Amino acid sequence: MSVINSPTTVLSPQSSSSSTLPQQFHTASSQHDLVVKRSATWRYLQRVHQGGMVLYNTAVLTEADLRKGYPYNDEKMQRKTMQYFMLGSSLATILEIPNQADCLKALHVVVQEFDYFIASDSKSKMMLKFRATGRKALLEGKSFEETGEYSQLDVRPLPFQLDYIITFASLCDMIAQVYEKLSGNGNIWNMNTLDLFQRVDSRFKKILTTVSKELEGMARDVILDELNGMDPLGGTTEDWGF
């Protein structure tokens, strides 16, 4: 009996290991493909915001078209520009973290703090007090989560207005670099890191969805302008069925 049971005991772990390896490889491979795809998408958006790119095979958006769609002096647009600047600046710092897993943890924190900041910034009674370092802030004496400070979000006052198009193109570059950094090592993916990635990726996708809708609206206006310019009878946009 001992002779029969012995090989069974030895072979069982080998059998289990061989069955899990393909699944681990599949997870790492599919995750790598997703990360590469995300990076390419953000690189594409970066080029679109640099002007002169065809948006989704529909219309060429020039810099003039973009500036028409994103009015510089609009208060809401300036607030959004500042938010994107803070996020991009924070990502630039996080990208300096050499370990990918630690970088992913920091990314998760920064998107949480970013959401909290946006929610706080939208409340008129919430006053933002900046520290001299520019890296942390207090909100009405209360803190983000427990400490009262932003540990990863780069919150700082600026003495000038930011250009939205340049700021968002820079944010696209930072987010693309984030995905490129995470694509370098398939060994980091496990249940914990995959969960963190999904949370970070979902937040970036919200930005992607919002901006894509804005750009599609601009492309639609460009197409309508071109169609109206081609109409010898001087038809209106309604005549084209848009």
Side-chain angles (χ1 to χ4, degrees), residues 42 74-92 110-124 126 128 130 135 139 150 152-158 160-172 174-175 203-204 206-207 210-211 214:
W42 284 101
D74 182 75
E75 182 179 351
K76 182 178 179 180
M77 185 58 60
Q78 278 297 315
R79 185 183 301 112
K80 181 187 293 187
T81 303
M82 188 64 185
Q83 293 168 354
Y84 285 161
F85 169 79
M86 291 178 180
L87 179 58
S89 179
S90 303
L91 295 180
V110 82
V111 296
Q112 286 183 308
E113 294 181 350
F114 180 67
D115 280 339
Y116 184 84
F117 176 83
I118 291 177
S120 301
D121 194 34
S122 65
K123 299 177 182 178
S124 59
M126 190 70 73
L128 191 65
F130 297 96
R135 284 293 301 167
L139 296 171
Y150 292 111
Q152 297 294 340
L153 186 64
D154 186 4
V155 180
R156 69 175 79 178
L158 294 178
F160 53 85
Q161 287 188 329
L162 296 166
D163 183 279
Y164 173 83
I165 297 175
I166 296 175
T167 300
F168 189 77
S170 299
L171 175 62
C172 290
M174 290 297 100
I175 295 179
R203 187 59 186 90
F204 288 160
K206 288 182 180 180
I207 299 176
T210 299
V211 174
E214 294 170 350

Side-chain angles (χ1 to χ4, degrees), residues 7 25 45 48 61 70-71 87-88 100 106 113 129 135 143 154 156 159-160 176 179 186 193 215 226:
F25 176 79
L45 270 188
V48 169
L61 292 180
Y70 295 123
L87 179 58
Q100 289 173 304
E113 294 181 350
K129 299 180 181 179
R135 284 293 301 167
S143 62
D154 186 4
R156 69 175 79 178
F160 53 85
Y179 285 110
T193 55
L215 293 174
E226 292 181 355

Side-chain angles (χ1 to χ4, degrees), residues 2-14:
S2 61
V3 175
I4 296 175
N5 289 336
S6 178
T8 304
T9 304
V10 173
L11 290 175
S12 179
Q14 294 177 349

Side-chain angles (χ1 to χ4, degrees), residues 168-224:
F168 189 77
S170 299
L171 175 62
C172 290
D173 179 40
M174 290 297 100
I175 295 179
Q177 287 191 50
V178 166
Y179 285 110
E180 289 162 4
K181 184 180 182 71
L182 296 177
S183 68
N185 182 8
N187 295 329
I188 70 167
W189 301 117
N190 53 49
M191 292 299 294
N192 291 331
T193 55
L194 285 172
D195 180 63
L196 290 176
F197 173 83
Q198 185 177 19
R199 294 171 186 269
V200 173
D201 183 57
S202 295
R203 187 59 186 90
F204 288 160
K205 282 174 63 178
K206 288 182 180 180
I207 299 176
L208 183 65
T209 300
T210 299
V211 174
S212 294
K213 289 181 179 179
E214 294 170 350
L215 293 174
E216 288 169 3
M218 295 180 200
R220 174 179 175 273
D221 292 340
V222 169
I223 293 173
L224 290 176

